[in-house]
């Protein structure tokens, strides 16, 4: 299994729902721009985006463009289907990625397009953009080198 | 003011444990009612004495239970919020109702029938929302996938091994072998463990709890009234629920600060339990540790102070959690890994049996029993029972 390539996760089990506070993240993704929510009052970053800054309770936000670089904080390898619709996506690798220019933030994402044996905690990764059949664009990561 | 020793569990009613779906054609409400009837009978009370309900999580309907069981009036009915961590905490709701004078006899129920929805895939059954999009987009469709992320970080930071996860599974299985109610009673070797399919690396089949059906009811009343009842009272020494924002939505958030990320989110619960009970970890004689996934048992042993942070693996490897010869026997009924999974209420049932002195794998001189709930998103909870 370890020589197998990490695939995209099963998109049939995911349907994007947004609200006014989360939509800018997904809108940026459609432009291949990785971003996180930043409080314009105190600069605290937060993900997922919520209607208030937990530090100062401001509602003012901006969405800085990030480099798309990060490191793997943790990951798992899903190689068995527990639900119909998963089989063709196996194996896939859900991962937590610490963003290099937003180090207090972990994105829940996936490592894709690399041999599973090459994946490790602490490995450097860069963002890639997966286009789903319904037009949604999802940031995922692959090994940086 | 605390609830310390002011209330007691005086009755327990447990249905047989069934493999997922095997409790059909009984309905879930039927199972619940059978467990309540058995618990009230065990206490030596009448159904007419029941005047309160305290539940954990959804699926219970107080007026339906009143209508069905002929309970004339209730003065308290409450549910602890959350989705994984609260069975132990529901006992505290009952205590708080009784101590405050809002009710006299409160029934707590944990029950589960998985014919419709497998818990192993429960997160895929959640409605897709703007919040869930941030984890559902990555194919985290089962709780095991999420806890695998926590487990691997613990391994990375502390050198925790799969052999140590295996010890949790094998220790529980040894206890289940002796227990007539347990679902999984076939011996498990280290080889069996490593031959099991890996479901969410580093977690294999035997790191996951069972998917079972069951219903367990508890009757709680004042310690004063308990003196006159059928069973030796099992005092509620302390009970706590809640937790820290640093743990928060935990596996649905994944942005916990590192110290919380590698924990089980139970540090705040442990501190409050020990303070309210005025005891230390060394005073605990037996612990029923919420074992939905083996690595989270290690993290809870750390959170509850039985060993240092990061030392959960070596602690279990030393034999400490074994019924035979361990310094802290845990999950003496086989736990949720080998006994049955009923929202954590099996752990409360087993702790009551240990304090009554009626457990199958009875710990000698058992004066204090710890029960934990969760770990999942808040609230997590915990309970200390005593003589």
């Amino acid at each position: 299994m370890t020589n197998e390539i990490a695939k995209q996760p099963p998109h049939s089990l995911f349907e994007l729902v947004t609200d006014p506070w989360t939509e800018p993240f997904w809108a940026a993704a459609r432009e291949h721009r990785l971003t996180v929510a930043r409080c314009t009052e105190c600069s605290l970053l937060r993900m997922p985006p919520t209607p208030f800054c937990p530090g100062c309770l401001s509602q003012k936000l901006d969405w800085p463009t990030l480099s798309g670089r990060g490191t793997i904080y943790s990951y798992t390898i899903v190689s068995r289907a527990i639900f119909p619709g998963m089989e063709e996506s196996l194996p896939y690798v859900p991962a937590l990625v610490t963003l290099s220019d937003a180090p207090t933030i972990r994105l829940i994402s996936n490592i894709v397009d690399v041999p599973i044996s090459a994946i490790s905690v602490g490995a450097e990764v860069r963002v890639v953009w997966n286009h789903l059949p319904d037009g949604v664009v999802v940031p995922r990561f692959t090994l940086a080198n | 003011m605390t609830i310390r020793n002011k209330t007691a569990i005086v009755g327990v009613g447990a249905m047989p444990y069934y493999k997922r779906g095997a409790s059909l054609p009984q309905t879930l409400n039927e199972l619940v009612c059978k467990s309540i009837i058995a618990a009230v009978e065990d206490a030596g009370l009448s159904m007419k004495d029941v005047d309160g309900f305290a539940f954990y999580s959804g699926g219970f309907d107080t007026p339906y239970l009143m209508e069905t069981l002929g309970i004339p009036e209730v003065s308290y009915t409450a549910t602890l919020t959350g989705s994984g961590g609260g069975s132990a905490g529901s006992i505290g709701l009952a205590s708080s109702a009784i101590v405050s004078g809002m009710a006299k006899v409160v029934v707590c129920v944990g029950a589960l029938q998985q014919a419709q929805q497998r818990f192993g895939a429960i997160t895929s059954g959640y409605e897709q929302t703007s919040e869930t999009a941030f984890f559902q987009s990555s194919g985290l469709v089962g709780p095991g996938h999420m806890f695998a992320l926590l487990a691997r970080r613990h391994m990375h930071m502390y050198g925790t091994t799969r052999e140590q996860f295996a010890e949790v599974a094998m220790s529980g299985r040894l206890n289940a072998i002796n227990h007539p109610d347990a679902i999984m009673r076939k011996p498990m070797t280290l080889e069996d463990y490593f031959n099991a399919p890996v479901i969410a690396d580093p977690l294999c089949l035997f790191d996951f709890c069972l998917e079972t059906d069951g219903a367990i009811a508890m009757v709680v009343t004042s310690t004063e009234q308990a003196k006159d009842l059928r069973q030796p009272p099992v005092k509620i020494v302390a009970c706590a629920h809640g937790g820290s924002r640093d743990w928060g939505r935990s596996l649905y958030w994944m942005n916990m600060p590192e110290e919380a990320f590698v924990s089980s989110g139970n540090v705040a619960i442990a501190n409050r339990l020990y303070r309210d009970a005025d005891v230390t970890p060394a005073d605990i004689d037996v612990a029923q540790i919420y074992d939905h996934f083996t690595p989270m048992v290690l993290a809870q042993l750390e959170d509850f102070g039985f060993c240092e942070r990061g030392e959960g693996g070596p602690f279990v490897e030393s034999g400490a959690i074994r019924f035979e010869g361990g310094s802290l026997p845990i999950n003496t009924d086989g736990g949720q890994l080998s006994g049955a999974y009923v929202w954590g209420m099996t752990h409360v049932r087993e702790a009551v049996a240990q304090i009554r002195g009626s457990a199958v794998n009875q710990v000698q001189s058992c004066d204090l029993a710890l029960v934990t709930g969760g770990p999942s998103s808040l609230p997590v909870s915990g309970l200390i029972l005593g003589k």
Side-chain angles (χ1 to χ4, degrees):
Chain A
M1 184 187 80
T2 50
N3 289 326
E4 289 186 75
I5 302 296
K7 295 184 184 175
Q8 294 185 35
H11 47 71
S12 62
L13 299 178
F14 169 57
E15 184 180 339
L16 178 63
V17 175
T18 64
D19 65 33
W21 296 96
T22 68
E23 172 60 25
F25 177 86
W26 299 103
R30 285 193 292 273
E31 301 166 0
H32 291 196
R33 193 168 66 79
L34 188 67
T35 183
V36 296
R38 179 173 65 187
C39 174
T40 52
E41 296 290 332
C42 73
S43 300
L44 189 68
L45 304 172
R46 63 186 191 267
M47 280 297 290
T50 46
F52 293 90
C53 171
C56 72
L57 301 184
S58 169
Q59 291 199 278
K60 292 178 186 158
L61 275 183
D62 65 4
W63 297 89
T65 298
L66 304 178
S67 66
R69 299 263 167 180
T71 55
I72 298 175
Y73 185 77
S74 192
Y75 67 96
T76 180
I77 307 160
V78 180
S79 49
R80 283 184 60 106
I82 60 166
F83 210 78
M86 289 174 67
E87 294 85 353
E88 289 178 6
S89 302
L90 301 175
Y92 64 91
V93 181
L96 304 177
V97 173
T98 305
L99 301 177
S100 300
D101 33 13
T104 56
I105 296 296
R106 272 173 229 135
L107 275 192
I108 305 172
S109 184
N110 299 84
I111 309 302
V112 295
D113 304 335
V114 292
I116 285 176
S117 58
I119 297 169
S120 63
V121 174
E124 294 185 9
V125 293
R126 61 179 168 80
V127 72
V128 293
W129 299 97
N130 285 169
H131 290 243
L132 307 188
D134 59 2
V136 171
V137 180
V138 182
R140 297 196 167 119
F141 291 83
T142 195
L143 294 176
N145 40 29
Chain B
M1 177 181 145
T2 70
I3 60 168
R4 186 178 170 189
N5 293 335
K6 291 173 183 164
T7 57
I9 295 174
V10 294
V12 176
M15 292 300 94
Y17 302 146
Y18 301 89
K19 288 184 178 171
R20 174 169 58 89
S23 61
L24 296 173
Q26 298 170 98
T27 66
L28 180 59
N29 271 323
E30 181 181 355
L31 288 170
V32 168
C33 288
K34 284 178 179 174
S35 72
I36 295 172
I37 291 167
V40 169
E41 165 73 18
D42 184 54
L45 286 164
S46 154
M47 199 61 75
K48 307 269 185 292
D49 296 319
V50 174
D51 65 354
F53 285 97
F55 305 117
Y56 168 59
S57 201
F60 302 104
D61 185 346
T62 294
Y64 178 91
L65 297 175
M66 295 169 71
E67 176 188 330
T68 307
L69 296 172
I71 296 167
E73 183 174 336
V74 298
S75 54
Y76 187 86
T77 172
T79 301
L80 193 60
T81 57
S83 65
S87 272
S90 70
I91 304 293
L93 292 186
S95 291
S96 63
I98 292 160
V99 171
S100 66
M102 296 179 80
K104 291 187 171 61
V105 175
V106 179
V107 168
C108 300
V109 187
L112 182 58
Q113 194 173 43
Q114 301 196 50
Q116 303 295 325
Q117 171 67 56
R118 288 185 63 174
F119 269 39
I122 192 165
T123 40
S124 68
Y126 293 165
E127 186 190 358
Q128 308 228 1
T129 69
S130 54
E131 287 89 23
T132 65
F134 290 94
F135 65 81
Q136 284 178 323
S137 56
S138 64
L140 294 172
V141 292
H145 299 152
M146 296 161 158
F147 283 106
L149 294 170
L150 274 59
R152 188 181 304 281
R153 189 69 192 179
H154 200 280
M155 296 169 89
H156 175 77
M157 288 187 66
Y158 303 117
T160 309
T161 65
R162 286 192 64 204
E163 284 78 0
Q164 293 162 344
F165 300 159
E167 167 59 19
V168 174
M170 292 190 300
S171 167
R173 182 60 62 88
L174 279 172
N175 297 339
I177 286 168
N178 295 331
H179 203 293
D181 295 337
I183 297 283
M184 301 293 282
R185 300 180 63 192
K186 195 176 142 209
M188 182 201 299
T189 64
L190 192 62
E191 191 181 0
D192 295 332
Y193 175 90
F194 276 98
N195 285 337
V198 174
I199 294 174
D201 191 308
L203 303 183
C204 73
L205 180 67
F206 293 136
D207 295 309
F208 284 60
C209 69
L210 304 175
E211 293 179 305
T212 51
D213 298 353
I216 301 171
M218 304 275 158
V219 179
V220 180
T221 191
S222 68
T223 304
E224 192 58 34
Q225 186 180 354
K227 288 176 189 160
D228 303 326
L229 298 180
R230 183 171 290 160
Q231 297 289 348
V234 174
K235 287 180 187 161
I236 297 163
V237 184
C239 190
H241 76 259
S244 159
R245 183 205 182 258
D246 281 355
W247 181 255
R249 290 193 298 130
S250 64
L251 61 159
Y252 306 116
W253 180 38
M254 294 293 184
N255 273 264
M256 304 84 94
E258 184 151 85
E259 194 176 323
F261 189 92
V262 294
S263 80
S264 70
N266 270 281
V267 173
I269 299 300
N271 289 343
R272 280 162 50 204
L273 280 181
Y274 292 141
R275 182 198 67 198
D276 289 356
D278 195 21
V279 300
T280 70
D283 296 317
I284 301 295
D285 299 304
V286 66
Q288 311 304 329
I289 306 285
Y290 197 96
D291 51 340
H292 52 356
F293 296 99
T294 57
M296 300 316 292
V297 172
L298 306 185
Q300 286 173 90
L301 291 167
E302 297 168 12
D303 281 6
F304 280 90
F306 297 111
C307 57
E308 295 296 315
R309 174 69 63 220
E311 293 294 317
F315 181 76
V316 302
E317 211 162 37
S318 75
I321 61 170
R322 292 273 176 126
F323 173 65
E324 297 283 353
S327 58
L328 180 77
I330 74 165
N331 302 351
T332 39
D333 65 342
Q336 300 176 144
L337 293 163
S338 287
Y341 179 87
V342 189
W343 278 123
M345 201 57 101
T346 55
H347 285 321
V348 182
R349 178 194 182 196
E350 174 65 8
V352 169
Q354 289 287 347
I355 297 297
R356 283 183 176 179
S358 63
V360 172
N361 296 310
Q362 180 65 48
V363 171
Q364 297 308 306
S365 308
C366 187
D367 294 324
L368 285 177
L370 171 71
V371 184
T372 73
S376 184
S377 59
L378 296 184
V380 291
S381 68
L383 171 69
I384 295 177
L385 299 177
K387 282 193 169 145

